[in-house]
């Protein structure tokens, strides 16, 4: 017996997402079965639905910012019971035996973690994501949702939140740190909120002058228009950490001199080769680094939820119907989202 599921899928890089019936695996002893209530819309969903990374498996049900209600648990499940709220992010499995897995950094599993969609599970079956009514996931990859947190606003913590929280923690951001964020979208707005909640002074680099007021409301102390050379020059030597969330190829060179000595620019957005080439002078003349980061481990994701519940942090969301997903993708491409679309999965039944 398998579980019947219903969602929206992409069938090719050039066609819109459409309704799709499919099957989930039979729950195993350590599986949690979740009825999905909300699913965030990440720019990675769009990249993969449209095969931007040349690795897309169709049909594809995207979605890796999943919040729902537990409807069944296997006999080995200890942390969840029926009725609990539960979250699923970008991974649903990993080898669990390599060094990164043992250290709780499942995202860097030596065998590559099993991603929530657009991947093959250990049995070679395609995984399917959260733009759907239910999902079956190994308990280790399910997050407990603290009581009282807004469920729609919490969904984006599972990707946008953890992807920005993990580098903030890794580079030890706290009171006195100076952090800058490039790009005010889903990841960028979470980076501002989380850096602020950790006690840092926060700046935003943006191409969009119209986002200044929002950025301040979200917690930014300073807004730097990245297209204005004078403003860029004025930011020289300032930041201990820059989180770069830009999804497409862009020139990093103007940002490097804005790092303080020993500062790091961490790429979380763009995946691919950089052009134009990086000038090494600001790196050498200041021991500056360029780094990358991928989501976060499961323990760190749980830590993020507990941190957000304590500090009252959730995402600013525009709740949409499942049927609006194709339009939402077009708006995301135009940076027209404040600041994360979240699908209300009740709309699937309409
Ligand atoms: P998003 O909501 O579309 O936001 C991206 C923001 O980047 C835009 O709002 C815009 O901000 C800025 N931007 C867009 N195009 C730009 C360009 N050509 N040049 C300069 N700035 C540009 O996207 P998102 O959901 O935050 O995702 C951002 C990226 O992170 C995606 O590529 C996604 O795949 C990736 N991602 C990575 C991880 C990871 O683990 N590393 C996890 C999740 C997502 P302004 O208008 O303020 O300039
Ligand atoms: Zn994502």
């Amino acid at each position: 017996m398998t579980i019947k599921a219903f969602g929206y899928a992409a069938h090719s890089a050039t066609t819109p997402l459409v309704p799709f019936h499919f099957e989930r695996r039979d729950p195993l002893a350590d599986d949690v079965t979740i009825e999905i209530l909300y699913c965030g819309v990440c720019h990675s969903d769009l990249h993969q639905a449209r095969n931007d990374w040349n690795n897309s498996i169709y049909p594809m049900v995207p979605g890796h910012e999943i919040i729902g209600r537990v409807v069944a648990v296997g006999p080995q499940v200890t942390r969840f019971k029926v009725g609990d709220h539960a979250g699923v992010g970008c991974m649903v499995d990993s080898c669990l035996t390599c060094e990164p897995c043992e250290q709780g950094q499942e995202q860097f599993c030596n065998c590559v973690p099993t991603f929530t969609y657009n991947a093959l599970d250990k049995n070679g079956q395609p995984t399917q994501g959260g733009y759907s009514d239910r999902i079956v996931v190994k308990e280790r990859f399910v997050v407990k949702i603290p009581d009282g947190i807004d469920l729609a606003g919490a969904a984006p913590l599972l990707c946008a939140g953890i992807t920005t929280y993990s580098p903030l923690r890794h580079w030890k951001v706290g009171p006195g740190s100076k952090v800058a964020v490039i790009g005010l979208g889903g990841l960028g707005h979470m980076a501002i909120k989380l850096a602020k909640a950790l006690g840092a002074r926060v700046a935003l680099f943006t191409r969009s002058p119209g986002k200044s007021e929002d950025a301040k409301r979200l917690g930014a102390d300073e807004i730097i228009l990245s297209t204005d050379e004078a403003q860029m020059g004025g930011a020289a030597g300032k930041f201990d950490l820059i989180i770069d969330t830009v999804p497409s190829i862009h020139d990093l060179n103007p940002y490097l001199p804005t790092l303080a000595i020993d500062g790091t620019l961490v790429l979380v957005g763009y995946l691919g080769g950089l052009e134009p080439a990086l000038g090494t002078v600001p790196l050498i003349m200041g021991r500056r680094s360029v780094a990358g980061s991928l989501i976060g481990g499961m323990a760190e994701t749980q830590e993020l939820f507990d941190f957000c519940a304590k500090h009252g942090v959730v995402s600013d969301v525009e709740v949409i119907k499942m049927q609006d997903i194709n339009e939402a993708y077009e708006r995301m491409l135009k940076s027209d989202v404040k600041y994360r679309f979240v699908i209300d999965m009740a709309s699937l039944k309409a």
Side-chain angles (χ1 to χ4, degrees):
M1 194 192 80
T2 49
I3 293 187
K4 299 239 176 289
F6 176 57
Y8 265 53
H11 290 266
S12 82
T14 54
T15 49
L17 272 66
V18 292
F20 178 60
H21 290 274
F22 61 106
E23 288 182 345
R24 299 282 188 189
R25 70 153 180 267
D26 242 356
L28 304 170
D30 60 349
D31 276 340
V32 179
T33 305
I34 299 165
E35 177 198 351
I36 300 175
L37 300 174
Y38 295 102
C39 185
V41 179
C42 181
H43 207 114
S44 305
D45 299 346
L46 196 162
H47 283 311
Q48 292 175 92
R50 300 195 175 172
N51 199 22
D52 287 349
W53 298 336
N54 292 315
N55 69 348
S56 293
I57 305 169
Y58 300 105
M60 177 198 304
V61 178
H64 58 206
E65 294 184 340
I66 301 165
I67 296 242
R69 188 186 300 112
V70 175
V71 292
V73 293
Q76 285 171 17
V77 169
T78 59
R79 289 161 51 238
F80 295 91
K81 60 180 188 324
V82 170
D84 287 352
H85 288 134
V88 179
C90 301
M91 308 176 276
V92 289
D93 205 354
S94 67
C95 86
L96 303 175
T97 57
C98 69
E99 208 173 306
C101 283
E102 284 191 344
Q103 292 167 346
Q105 305 203 78
E106 299 91 342
Q107 75 275 32
F108 301 131
C109 172
N110 286 341
C111 314
V112 181
T114 304
F115 293 107
T116 303
Y117 66 89
N118 195 29
L120 299 178
D121 68 15
K122 284 176 179 162
N123 298 320
Q125 294 303 308
T127 58
Q128 300 291 10
Y131 297 3
S132 62
D133 54 1
R134 64 198 61 229
I135 191 165
V136 178
V137 182
K138 187 192 280 294
E139 180 182 24
R140 169 150 171 171
F141 292 86
V142 184
V143 177
K144 279 191 86 74
I145 308 302
D147 288 338
I149 201 165
D150 176 69
L151 296 178
L157 300 179
L158 288 149
C159 177
I162 187 60
T163 300
T164 50
Y165 184 72
S166 186
L168 290 168
R169 296 285 286 143
H170 180 78
W171 277 277
K172 301 191 169 42
V173 165
S177 304
K178 293 190 179 120
V179 173
V181 176
I182 311 181
L184 189 61
L187 268 58
H189 95 290
M190 286 313 307
I192 292 177
K193 290 188 183 206
L194 293 168
K196 201 68 197 169
L198 286 164
R201 191 182 152 78
V202 189
L204 170 72
F205 288 108
T206 179
R207 311 161 301 169
S208 311
K211 290 183 180 175
S212 288
E213 284 314 306
D214 270 357
K216 284 187 193 145
R217 177 180 55 77
L218 293 164
D221 301 289
E222 187 184 358
I223 290 74
I224 302 159
L225 203 53
S226 53
T227 50
D228 182 325
E229 272 182 42
Q231 289 189 30
M232 292 299 283
K238 271 196 176 173
F239 303 114
D240 304 310
L241 183 70
I242 299 178
I243 299 185
D244 182 340
T245 74
V246 174
S248 44
I249 191 160
H250 57 291
D251 187 2
L252 293 193
N253 289 296
Y255 297 100
L256 298 182
T258 71
L259 287 168
I261 307 302
D262 285 325
T264 301
L265 182 150
V266 57
L267 290 157
V268 294
Y270 172 65
L271 211 55
L274 288 171
E275 275 173 42
L278 275 189
T280 62
V281 174
L283 302 179
I284 290 172
M285 306 289 288
R287 207 163 44 199
R288 299 178 175 97
S289 311
V290 174
S293 189
L294 175 71
I295 45 175
M298 293 317 300
E300 197 172 43
T301 307
Q302 190 65 61
E303 177 190 305
L304 165 69
F305 270 82
D306 299 339
F307 177 87
C308 287
K310 187 171 158 203
H311 292 266
V313 175
V314 286
S315 179
D316 282 28
V317 302
E318 179 178 339
V319 176
I320 61 169
K321 298 192 193 83
M322 187 70 255
Q323 293 78 0
D324 296 335
I325 187 63
N326 296 300
E327 188 195 335
Y329 279 0
E330 293 310 315
R331 284 183 54 196
M332 187 185 264
L333 280 174
K334 290 186 272 186
S335 295
D336 175 24
V337 43
K338 293 184 172 176
Y339 279 91
R340 196 59 141 186
F341 292 119
V342 171
I343 305 162
D344 179 353
M345 223 39 83
S347 63
L348 248 190
K349 298 189 184 97

